[in-house]
């Protein structure tokens, strides 16, 4: 028996043998969506962030079965969301990215943040992004890009 997940608006069929596998591994190794990154595997770094509905989840922390019937958005689908597109454009405008490894998770977290609070102040940005670590220290540019997107962005 197989089961279905809805990822980036499309139904994908997954072998039932992978039903207890954490969603992160199903996304990367079964479905082939490698934009979502593995960092700590322990819910500490945010690299594996995905949206379920509008909320951010650490995909390393929940089995795929928890997402049956729940729409999942990964970084590969973020541009189809007007807010996700605005954030990605702001990320380019603010030249946020350094090595890039953490950035899919950062963009997912920023999308969840602005969905919940369209005009966050510095403290709200810090709180909303606090689950996502960046070893390159891009935090000031992330804050700038979030503000740019919140203000409507250039795009
Ligand atoms: S890999 Fe999931 S929180 Fe770090
Ligand atoms: S840009 Fe390198 S880890 Fe964040």
């Amino acid at each position: 028996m197989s089961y279905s997940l809805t990822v980036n608006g499309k139904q994908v069929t997954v072998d039932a043998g992978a039903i207890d596998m954490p969603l992160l591994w199903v996304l990367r190794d079964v479905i082939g969506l490698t934009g979502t990154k593995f960092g700590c595997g322990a819910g500490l770094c945010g690299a594996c962030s995905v949206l379920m509905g509008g909320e951010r989840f650490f995909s390393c922390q929940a089995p795929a079965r928890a997402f049956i019937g729940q729409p999942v958005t990964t970084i590969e689908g973020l541009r189809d969301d007007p807010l996700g597109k605005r954030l990605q454009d702001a990320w380019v405008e603010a030249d946020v990215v350094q090595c890039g490894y953490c950035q899919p998770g950062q963009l997912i977290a920023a999308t969840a943040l602005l969905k919940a609070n369209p005009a966050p102040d510095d403290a709200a940005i810090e709180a909303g992004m606090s689950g996502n670590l960046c070893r390159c220290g891009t935090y000031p540019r992330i804050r700038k890009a979030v503000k740019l997107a919140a203000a409507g962005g250039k795009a």
Side-chain angles (χ1 to χ4, degrees), residues 70-93:
Q70 306 286 349
V72 171
T73 302
T74 69
I75 188 67
E76 289 89 347
L78 199 63
R79 209 159 175 81
D80 294 334
D81 178 323
L83 178 55
K85 177 183 183 307
R86 205 161 82 224
L87 276 158
Q88 286 180 319
D89 291 344
W91 243 241
V92 172
E93 177 70 14

Side-chain angles (χ1 to χ4, degrees), residues 69-137:
Q70 306 286 349
V72 171
T73 302
T74 69
I75 188 67
E76 289 89 347
L78 199 63
R79 209 159 175 81
D80 294 334
D81 178 323
L83 178 55
K85 177 183 183 307
R86 205 161 82 224
L87 276 158
Q88 286 180 319
D89 291 344
W91 243 241
V92 172
E93 177 70 14
D95 200 13
V96 171
V97 175
Q98 195 162 319
C99 84
Y101 195 83
C102 73
Q103 299 297 333
Q106 302 280 7
L107 276 158
I108 293 286
T111 304
L113 167 64
L114 290 191
K115 280 183 187 296
N117 179 359
D121 59 15
D122 282 353
I125 293 173
E126 194 168 325
M129 301 301 293
S130 64
N132 289 69
L133 304 182
C134 175
R135 63 192 165 189
C136 300

Side-chain angles (χ1 to χ4, degrees), residues 22-36:
L23 179 67
L24 175 60
W25 278 263
V26 171
L27 291 172
R28 290 182 54 86
D29 296 346
V30 178
I31 302 175
L33 293 173
T34 56
T36 307

